[in-house]
Amino acid sequence: MYKSLEEIACAQILSNESEIFSIEFENQKYWVKKARATKPNKIQKFFYQILPFELLMPSLPKSAKEALVHETAKLELFRSKGINVPKVVYQCDDFFILEDVGVAIHALIRNQHITQEKMYYYINKVIELLATIHNKNQFHGGAQTRNFTYKEGKVFAIDLEESFTSSIDIETLKFRDFLLLLLSFVKIKASFELDYEYIIQQYVALTK
Ligand SMILES: Nc1ncnc2c1ncn2[C@@H]1O[C@H](COP(=O)(O)OP(=O)(O)OP(=O)(O)O)[C@@H](O)[C@H]1O
Ligand SMILES: [Mg+2]
């Protein structure tokens, strides 16, 4: 019997324990993300109470439904602004389905045999996308390299579920994004040192 993409996803939602997983439909790959509540990190919350430094602010807690609505709406908003994000191909109260946008940048750059040329090729593309997001007066919210992907020469932003109280200004959130991205580079195992000054200069040059 012919099954639609939603039916295949629905059946797997029940049997698959992962909160996010890929499925195949008519030779295309898709990602299914279950609705789940977002909670601020406990350690971060604790530190923020004793050290109310804006950059340490915890994200807002959201119910599963709120988190799903927030993430899909932000994906649509970014798409309408010409920011590379996966298309939301289906959504209901319990899950949403995204088109596949390739391999996580984190997976590509953590290879210890990566050449400098390849490393900076990916890093420059991520910086370009983050600068595009920021130049459109938006923020990512979880700008670590695991939340950017690469497919056919293009970098995409994924995992837009974080949100913050409206009292925090957009410039702080942009700065936080950039710091998160820089911190996520620390985990790479390349045989050469990363030139952080170059990376910072690239970002500064590309942002208004
Ligand atoms: N549309 C997509 N195309 C390709 N890969 C994807 C897509 N969506 C998710 N992934 C893969 O699944 C992983 C987890 O997805 P996502 O970051 O949205 O979930 P998460 O559970 O919120 O992650 P985190 O651990 O960052 O909180 C990504 O790092 C990426 O490898
Ligand atoms: Mg993620």
Side-chain angles (χ1 to χ4, degrees):
M1 196 190 90
Y2 177 82
K3 276 197 172 163
S4 68
L5 176 62
E6 301 93 272
E7 281 170 331
I8 295 171
C10 251
Q12 289 224 13
I13 280 285
L14 301 171
S15 59
N16 200 320
E17 285 185 0
S18 313
E19 282 173 340
I20 179 144
F21 55 88
S22 63
I23 55 172
E24 289 267 331
F25 179 71
E26 292 180 344
N27 294 323
Q28 297 270 4
K29 189 174 173 180
Y30 297 90
W31 289 81
V32 180
K33 194 166 180 176
K34 291 182 190 171
R36 48 127 196 238
T38 57
K39 294 185 199 85
N41 178 302
K42 279 193 186 136
I43 301 170
Q44 201 180 348
K45 217 172 150 184
F46 170 77
F47 277 111
Y48 189 61
Q49 272 159 12
I50 49 172
L51 203 81
F53 177 45
E54 267 192 325
L55 286 170
L56 285 177
M57 75 223 140
S59 56
L60 288 177
K62 289 189 282 302
S63 69
K65 178 103 193 282
E66 284 166 350
L68 181 145
V69 168
H70 175 83
E71 186 164 4
T72 52
K74 191 158 170 178
L75 283 163
E76 310 272 4
L77 174 76
F78 274 26
R79 211 176 144 71
S80 74
K81 290 183 178 289
I83 299 167
N84 292 348
V85 286
K87 198 192 277 178
V88 181
V89 294
Y90 177 80
Q91 75 183 88
C92 60
D93 283 353
D94 303 317
F95 65 90
F96 60 96
I97 308 177
L98 297 174
E99 69 171 334
D100 175 63
V101 284
V103 183
I105 291 290
H106 168 70
L108 292 166
I109 66 172
R110 79 175 164 197
N111 173 355
Q112 55 180 322
H113 303 296
I114 189 168
T115 61
Q116 293 214 28
E117 195 189 354
K118 275 228 161 122
M119 177 71 86
Y120 287 106
Y121 171 76
Y122 293 125
I123 289 180
N124 284 337
K125 282 197 176 282
V126 172
I127 296 285
E128 262 170 49
L129 179 57
L130 191 66
T132 302
I133 294 172
H134 291 176
N135 287 339
K136 293 183 190 269
N137 233 16
Q138 301 294 321
F139 70 97
H140 184 298
Q144 299 92 327
T145 51
R146 66 170 193 274
N147 293 329
F148 289 97
T149 65
Y150 178 82
K151 188 179 183 179
E152 293 160 5
K154 283 207 265 183
V155 167
F156 296 80
I158 58 165
D159 198 1
L160 305 176
E161 68 189 32
E162 305 283 12
S163 59
F164 300 89
T165 158
S166 55
S167 62
I168 286 164
D169 79 33
I170 183 75
E171 294 310 316
T172 307
L173 292 169
K174 290 178 187 176
F175 188 53
R176 181 182 178 277
D177 271 356
F178 186 56
L179 276 185
L180 279 181
L181 180 64
L182 282 182
L183 287 173
S184 70
F185 288 138
V186 173
K187 291 181 190 155
I188 60 172
K189 303 179 192 116
S191 57
F192 48 89
E193 288 291 321
L194 268 196
D195 186 348
Y196 286 100
E197 205 177 320
Y198 164 80
I199 297 172
I200 294 167
Q201 277 168 7
Q202 280 296 99
Y203 173 76
V204 171
L206 290 172
T207 44
K208 291 174 194 155

